[in-house]
Amino acid sequence: MGLVANLHGTASHGLVDQSLTVLERLAHRGASGADPTSGDGAGIMLQIPDAFLRAEAAQDGVELAAKGAYLSGLVFLERGDSAAPALAAIERAPIP
């Protein structure tokens, strides 16, 4: 396991670069997760880019909760028509 952090909460692209270096150097220690070709299970955790997400949500008419009171996530879907049912379910999900 590797850890790179800024104890003052200051965002920095340098931290991302350092984190990626740590991941590269951990590859020889088996930090490739269950699927060694995709890096499944290995990654970096980032702060939520509130200003960016707030602006993107506003373009879709969505008002986000206060900073720190909402979550974000990634959804990986299959390519092509087979993703349609999952995408439709996500789009139907209520926005509290």
Side-chain angles (χ1 to χ4, degrees):
M1 180 175 109
L3 173 68
V4 177
N6 180 304
L7 299 178
H8 304 289
T10 305
S12 159
H13 185 68
L15 287 174
V16 175
D17 284 339
Q18 290 174 341
S19 299
L20 293 173
T21 298
V22 169
L23 281 177
E24 290 169 5
R25 292 182 180 171
L26 287 175
H28 75 284
R29 298 278 187 194
S32 59
D35 180 359
T37 60
S38 71
D40 175 34
I44 61 176
M45 187 171 18
L46 304 171
Q47 292 175 326
I48 293 175
D50 181 70
F52 171 76
L53 291 179
R54 198 166 294 285
E56 290 295 311
Q59 288 181 12
D60 290 330
V62 175
E63 184 178 342
L64 295 178
K67 184 176 181 178
Y70 67 91
L71 300 172
S72 67
L74 297 174
V75 178
F76 296 93
L77 301 173
E78 295 181 35
R79 293 182 183 188
D81 294 336
S82 60
L87 186 57
I90 292 167
E91 291 173 344
R92 283 192 313 269
I95 298 174

